[in-house]
Amino acid sequence: MNGKSMATQPAAAEAPRSGTTPVLEVRDISKNFEAVRALDGVSVAVHPGEVLGLVGDNGAGKSTLIKIISGVYQPDEGEILMDGRTLAMSTPHEARERGIETVYQHLALVNQLRVDGNLYLGREPNRFGFLGDLFQILDTPLMKAKTKEVMARLHIRIPGLESEPVHRMSGGQRQAAAIARAVHWGSKLLLLDEPTAALGAEQSAEVQRIIRRTCDSGIPAIVISHNLEHVFQVCDRIVVLRLGRKVLDCRADATSPDEVVAYITGSRGAVGHA
Ligand SMILES: Nc1ncnc2c1ncn2[C@@H]1O[C@H](COP(=O)(O)OP(=O)(O)OP(=O)(O)O)[C@@H](O)[C@H]1O
Ligand SMILES: [Mg+2]
C-alpha cells in the first residue's frame, strides 16, 4: 500500500495541486438509471493544463460522468463547480457556452460536410451579403481560414482538408478533426471519451500528441481510455472508477500500470482488500 488509494486516504490523493483552484470540479456526484447506480458519490477536480485520465472497466460510469459534466445528464446528487463557483447545466448547449467541449465515444461528425463545415456545425458565422443583413450568407472564407489556423496550431495535416467531405477521410483524420473542433471552441475544458479506441498505432500517437499540445497550452482535458499505455503516456493524473465509485485518484508518476489494473479489477481498493 503506498497511500494513494482514495478508498483509504482521500486527503493524500487530492494533495498534489491543492494550491490552485480547479478549472472544473465535481463533488459527490451520484447518478441512477432506475435500478443501476451508475455513479456513487464521485468527486473529481481538474486543474489548468492538466490531462486527467479516467479509467475503469466497462460500465464503471466513465461516460456517465463525462455526460454529466457536458450537460447531457443531470446528476441526482452532488454539484459541479467551474473556477470555484457552482454551475447548473441543464443542456449540452449550456456546457458548450461555458467552454466545455466534448468528443464523444461515438464520433459526432456529419460525414457529408468538409472539416470546416463540421468545425462550425450549428455555430456557422454569417457575413453581410450584397444588401447588408437582408441577405446574410455563410462566411465560408472565414470558416476555412479558421479551420486551417486551428489545424496548423495542432500540427494536423489532412490532405484535401479544404475540398473533401469527412467520410473520405481515415478514422484518425476524422478523430483529429473532431478534436480540432473541440479545441477550437473549448476554451475551458476538453472531454474526450475514448479518442483513440478506433485508431491504429500511428494515428493514436498523433491524437495523443494533439491532446498533449492542447493541454500544454493551458486548457485541461479529461480523457477516457481503456489503453493504459496511452493513459500513462499522455496523462498527468489518473482516476479509476469501479462500479460507479472512485477507487483511485493520484498522479500518473506516482502509480504504475499494474497498480491501476489492480484498482480497475477490484483486487485492490475494494472493501476488505485495501
Ligand atoms: N442511458 C442509460 N440508461 C440506463 N442505464 C445506463 C444509461 N447509461 C449508462 N447506463 C448504465 O450505467 C452504468 C455506467 O455506464 P457508462 O456508460 O457510464 O459506463 P462506461 O464506464 O463508460 O463503460 P464503457 O467502458 O463500456 O464505455 C452501466 O451499468 C450502464 O449500463
Ligand atoms: Mg463509456
Side-chain angles (χ1 to χ4, degrees):
M1 186 73 232
N2 61 7
K4 293 187 293 267
S5 164
M6 276 309 292
T8 52
Q9 298 200 13
E14 294 293 358
R17 295 202 182 220
S18 52
T20 61
T21 305
V23 174
L24 191 114
E25 190 178 355
V26 297
R27 282 191 194 156
D28 291 324
I29 293 280
S30 295
K31 177 72 182 172
N32 300 308
F33 293 107
E34 298 183 355
V36 177
R37 193 148 177 85
L39 291 173
D40 186 2
V42 171
S43 298
V44 173
V46 199
H47 295 84
E50 182 177 54
V51 185
L52 181 77
L54 187 58
V55 301
D57 224 336
N58 295 119
K62 306 179 298 293
S63 294
T64 303
L65 183 60
I66 291 291
K67 285 177 182 168
I68 284 175
I69 299 172
S70 61
V72 175
Y73 294 147
Q74 306 308 304
D76 296 327
E77 292 156 43
E79 57 177 346
I80 306 173
L81 296 95
M82 183 180 267
D83 296 324
R85 288 194 206 93
T86 308
L87 268 188
M89 288 181 301
S90 43
T91 62
H93 179 72
E94 284 177 52
R96 285 200 299 268
E97 280 195 327
R98 292 186 160 95
I100 299 172
E101 281 291 324
T102 313
V103 178
Y104 289 103
Q105 193 161 5
H106 304 289
L107 272 183
L109 292 179
V110 176
N111 282 330
Q112 289 74 22
L113 296 178
R114 292 185 314 259
V115 172
D116 58 311
N118 271 288
L119 204 87
Y120 281 90
L121 193 64
R123 303 188 257 212
E124 294 85 351
N126 287 321
R127 64 188 164 111
F128 296 125
F130 185 53
L131 292 175
D133 58 2
L134 257 187
F135 289 95
Q136 285 201 13
I137 52 173
L138 200 59
D139 196 344
T140 311
L142 177 81
M143 285 164 56
K144 283 191 168 182
K146 289 281 179 195
T147 301
K148 269 174 83 173
E149 200 179 291
V150 67
M151 299 306 252
R153 182 150 56 90
L154 296 174
H155 303 250
I156 300 171
R157 283 171 299 279
I158 299 181
L161 176 72
E162 293 189 64
S163 55
E164 298 295 331
V166 297
H167 70 81
R168 297 238 175 93
M169 294 170 182
S170 74
Q173 290 167 340
R174 270 180 288 173
Q175 189 61 277
I179 293 173
R181 178 174 62 185
V183 169
H184 183 58
W185 298 103
S187 53
K188 294 296 282 190
L189 177 67
L190 297 183
L191 304 171
L192 302 141
D193 196 343
E194 307 216 31
T196 56
L199 306 183
E202 208 172 300
Q203 293 179 330
S204 291
E206 190 54 44
V207 165
Q208 288 184 83
R209 276 195 288 274
I210 293 166
I211 296 168
R212 194 63 258 177
R213 252 177 237 132
T214 307
C215 294
D216 287 344
S217 74
I219 300 167
I222 301 179
V223 182
I224 294 178
S225 179
H226 283 279
N227 187 323
L228 284 187
E229 198 188 326
H230 293 173
V231 168
F232 274 88
Q233 278 164 4
V234 80
C235 297
D236 303 297
R237 202 150 57 85
I238 297 176
V239 165
V240 180
L241 294 183
R242 178 167 167 75
L243 302 173
R245 305 188 75 170
K246 185 170 82 168
V247 291
L248 182 74
D249 183 338
C250 71
R251 289 190 54 85
D253 59 12
T255 184
S256 66
D258 284 349
E259 187 183 47
V260 170
V261 167
Y263 280 98
I264 290 172
T265 58
S267 64
R268 278 181 77 169
V271 178
H273 289 271

